[in-house]
Amino acid sequence: MSISSCIAIRADVDIITARQRGRDLGVELGFPKTDLALIATAISELARNILTYAGEGEIEIALEDVGGRRGLVIVARDQGPGIADLALALQDGYSTSRSLGIGLPGVRRLMDEFDVVSEPGSGTVVKATKWQ
Amino acid sequence: MSISSCIAIRADVDIITARQRGRDLGVELGFPKTDLALIATAISELARNILTYAGEGEIEIALEDVGGRRGLVIVARDQGPGIADLALALQDGYSTSRSLGIGLPGVRRLMDEFDVVSEPGSGTVVKATKWQ
Amino acid sequence: MSIPILKHGRTLIVSLQSEPTDAEFVELQHELAQRVTTTHANGVLIDVTALEVLDSFATRTLREIGQTVTLCGARAAIVGVQPEVAFAMAQLGLSLDGMLTALDLEEGLALLHAQPGVGVVT
Amino acid sequence: MSIPILKHGRTLIVSLQSEPTDAEFVELQHELAQRVTTTHANGVLIDVTALEVLDSFATRTLREIGQTVTLCGARAAIVGVQPEVAFAMAQLGLSLDGMLTALDLEEGLALLHAQPGVGVVT
Ligand SMILES: Nc1ncnc2c1ncn2[C@@H]1O[C@H](COP(=O)(O)OP(=O)(O)O)[C@@H](O)[C@H]1O
Ligand SMILES: Nc1ncnc2c1ncn2[C@@H]1O[C@H](COP(=O)(O)OP(=O)(O)O)[C@@H](O)[C@H]1O
């Protein structure tokens, strides 16, 4: 069983590859169909943010096992411009592009755990976990 | 081939002249039909803002060539009151007139590059580019 | 009035041939409301096939025309929006929400006549 | 164009078989607006049965397709949204507000034909 997978995000096809990979790992771990859709959607939003705001980066998908409790972890990582005002970026409807502005707050709702580390100039790391 | 054109905006007919001129230059440059409509619409919004908020000003339409990559540039320039809160003015639905408030954010969506320089008291310059 | 309004049965038809100025659009709005009442029309068709741009002002005015005409007891439909124009409007964030739309004059007439209260009286 | 558009009477049918890229979605939007006008279609059905994800970009584009097609004078319906996909969309905060939706192609066709002005003219 593959326990970790890393997908470089450089073009829009990579978004599809990344969410497909997330789905596959979710299936291996035995996640129900509803969770698979939530995971794939979350990956899609994070991968598109990398492409839109940082130009390129990577999505890592891994199995986490904390005292027998298993989860699927998505880590979205880029060396882009970072997010100046995180509180604002996490608000529904806030967007600095022509987009809907529900990516980050939406992913937070889709997943069980959600964490962003970002500083202007030093890129962005988003970590989101779905427990089984 | 004309590479630059400047239209004074003083009355509502000038809006039509300006967008027609933008279309013509776009045709000369070989832009596809869809882009011509986007360019003409962007010019229309910017020219009307000049008329509504500054009373008068000008629209410059020019060809830009950056290392062989060609684009059409719209510059809307006025000596009007300027925009006090740019972040607010760029939000969908914000308007200080009885208008729809989607001019500026809309033009940003229509074009590839978009830039506003404005200070209260010293007028407004909007620059928007469509790449080929 | 520079924009001609034709009458076909109980439908008023406006074919916008060249790009109207803002002032002409507003004049059209007044004029149509008057005409609906005086001529007892129950439908208004506005043909925008020839227009290469429908910006936020034009769109707002068309929507207001739809509302005005409806208040006067008729129905209005916009016909002939070109695909590039529709695409640009959608990008700008504009729609003709709440208005009837059709491909061309013929279909617009059929659509108006399919509206309750419009088709019955001819 | 990588996504095929079929014509059935006056309805254009798009069956999204594999997940389209962002670029393909935008191309579809252009293409459908053109086709509605050139083929005189009055309805557009987009079948998303095969899609496992409809994220914010896809949803926004589908909504824009609905607006564009409506502006051109036709009606668009989305059919086959899977229950898991619908659930994820709702969690994300997305809806297809303002669009027609149906279970499958057959019901979608019936729904389009029940729209005023779509069913009458064939
Ligand atoms: N990877 C990233 N790098 C830099 N900025 C980002 C990144 N992801 C999100 N942002 C910022 O946070 C804002 C909100 O993001 P999101 O909620 O996903 O909405 P949207 O992508 O639709 O704008 C974005 O508009 C952007 O300014
Ligand atoms: N050229 C300008 N000069 C001064 N203020 C402007 C100018 N253009 C836009 N603004 C300000 O920005 C706001 C938003 O503009 P816009 O998005 O085009 O919407 P609208 O014109 O419909 O109000 C305007 O209401 C106005 O207050």
Side-chain angles (χ1 to χ4, degrees):
Chain A
M1 181 194 280
S2 75
I3 51 156
S4 166
S5 192
C6 189
I7 305 100
I9 306 295
R10 285 196 202 93
D12 60 1
V13 281
D14 300 329
I15 300 176
I16 298 170
T17 310
R19 68 188 184 213
Q20 193 54 54
R21 206 69 70 75
R23 259 196 151 262
D24 292 348
L25 184 59
V27 169
E28 282 184 56
L29 294 178
F31 273 98
K33 235 181 147 182
T34 307
D35 283 350
L36 296 178
L38 299 181
I39 291 165
T41 307
I43 294 174
S44 202
E45 296 296 328
L46 296 176
R48 182 167 298 96
N49 277 357
I50 290 177
L51 212 57
T52 308
Y53 303 110
E56 57 171 43
E58 58 183 29
I59 296 273
E60 200 187 309
I61 301 155
L63 162 69
E64 189 149 290
D65 195 321
V66 179
R69 194 183 179 207
R70 298 204 308 175
L72 185 149
V73 188
I74 309 163
V75 181
R77 199 180 286 118
D78 67 63
Q79 317 280 317
I83 301 173
D85 190 335
L86 253 179
L88 209 57
L90 286 172
Q91 267 174 35
D92 266 323
Y94 175 81
S95 175
T96 58
S97 70
R98 44 162 306 205
S99 188
L100 294 176
I102 59 168
L104 289 181
V107 170
R108 186 187 220 164
R109 286 189 289 267
L110 294 172
M111 304 292 283
D112 297 323
E113 276 176 39
F114 178 85
D115 223 29
V116 191
V117 181
S118 179
E119 255 172 86
S122 52
T124 302
V125 180
V126 183
K127 188 181 166 193
T129 308
K130 189 80 187 168
W131 295 110
Q132 218 161 11
Chain B
M1 182 194 279
S2 75
I3 52 155
S4 169
S5 193
C6 190
I7 304 100
I9 305 295
R10 284 195 204 93
D12 60 2
V13 282
D14 300 329
I15 301 176
I16 297 170
T17 309
R19 68 187 184 213
Q20 194 52 54
R21 207 69 71 75
R23 255 195 155 266
D24 292 348
L25 185 58
V27 169
E28 283 184 57
L29 294 179
F31 273 97
K33 237 181 145 185
T34 307
D35 283 348
L36 296 178
L38 300 180
I39 290 166
T41 307
I43 294 175
S44 203
E45 295 295 328
L46 295 177
R48 183 166 297 97
N49 276 358
I50 290 178
L51 212 57
T52 309
Y53 302 109
E56 57 170 42
E58 59 182 29
I59 296 273
E60 199 188 310
I61 300 155
L63 162 70
E64 189 150 288
D65 195 320
V66 179
R69 193 181 179 210
R70 299 203 308 174
L72 186 149
V73 188
I74 308 163
V75 181
R77 200 180 285 118
D78 67 63
Q79 317 281 317
I83 301 173
D85 190 336
L86 253 179
L88 210 57
L90 287 171
Q91 268 174 33
D92 266 323
Y94 175 81
S95 175
T96 58
S97 70
R98 48 161 303 209
S99 188
L100 295 177
I102 59 168
L104 289 181
V107 170
R108 185 189 219 165
R109 286 188 289 264
L110 294 173
M111 305 291 284
D112 296 324
E113 275 176 40
F114 179 85
D115 224 28
V116 192
V117 181
S118 179
E119 253 172 87
S122 51
T124 302
V125 180
V126 182
K127 187 181 168 194
T129 309
K130 187 80 186 171
W131 295 108
Q132 219 162 9
Chain C
M1 176 68 187
S2 34
I3 302 172
I5 301 175
L6 308 177
K7 188 137 191 280
H8 171 81
R10 290 191 56 195
T11 306
L12 300 177
I13 299 178
V14 180
S15 271
L16 298 176
Q17 288 308 332
S18 60
E19 316 267 326
T21 62
D22 296 1
E24 283 170 339
F25 257 125
V26 173
E27 209 182 325
L28 179 65
Q29 186 180 356
H30 287 277
E31 191 68 19
L32 276 175
Q34 296 289 347
R35 290 280 203 99
V36 163
T37 309
T38 56
T39 69
H40 222 70
N42 57 17
V44 172
L45 279 181
I46 302 177
D47 187 356
V48 298
T49 307
L51 303 194
E52 291 170 334
V53 171
L54 283 172
D55 65 5
S56 63
F57 183 86
T59 304
R60 197 189 73 205
T61 312
L62 288 176
R63 285 207 295 234
E64 286 179 4
I65 288 177
Q67 287 161 3
T68 312
V69 162
T70 304
L71 285 171
C72 294
R75 296 290 166 271
I78 308 296
V79 306
V81 177
Q82 294 302 297
E84 303 79 33
V85 175
F87 183 76
M89 288 173 73
Q91 293 297 303
L92 198 58
L94 293 169
S95 71
L96 288 170
D97 269 5
M99 296 204 72
L100 300 170
T101 51
L103 272 172
D104 53 27
L105 281 176
E106 196 185 343
E107 307 244 325
L109 273 173
L111 178 63
L112 282 181
H113 283 212
Q115 301 303 306
V118 177
V120 280
V121 201
T122 44
Chain D
M1 177 68 187
S2 33
I3 303 172
I5 301 175
L6 307 178
K7 188 137 191 279
H8 171 82
R10 290 190 56 195
T11 306
L12 300 176
I13 300 178
V14 180
S15 272
L16 298 175
Q17 287 308 332
S18 59
E19 316 268 325
T21 62
D22 296 0
E24 283 170 339
F25 257 124
V26 173
E27 208 182 325
L28 181 64
Q29 187 180 354
H30 285 275
E31 192 69 21
L32 277 175
Q34 296 289 348
R35 289 280 201 98
V36 162
T37 308
T38 56
T39 68
H40 221 72
N42 57 17
V44 172
L45 279 181
I46 301 177
D47 186 356
V48 298
T49 308
L51 303 194
E52 292 170 334
V53 171
L54 283 173
D55 64 6
S56 62
F57 183 87
T59 305
R60 194 187 76 207
T61 312
L62 288 176
R63 284 206 298 233
E64 285 181 5
I65 288 176
Q67 286 163 4
T68 311
V69 161
T70 305
L71 285 169
C72 293
R75 298 291 167 269
I78 307 295
V79 306
V81 177
Q82 294 302 295
E84 305 80 35
V85 174
F87 182 75
M89 288 172 72
Q91 293 296 303
L92 198 58
L94 293 170
S95 73
L96 289 170
D97 269 6
M99 295 204 72
L100 300 170
T101 51
L103 267 175
D104 54 27
L105 281 177
E106 199 184 341
E107 308 239 325
L109 273 173
L111 178 64
L112 281 181
H113 282 211
Q115 303 302 308
V118 176
V120 280
V121 202
T122 44

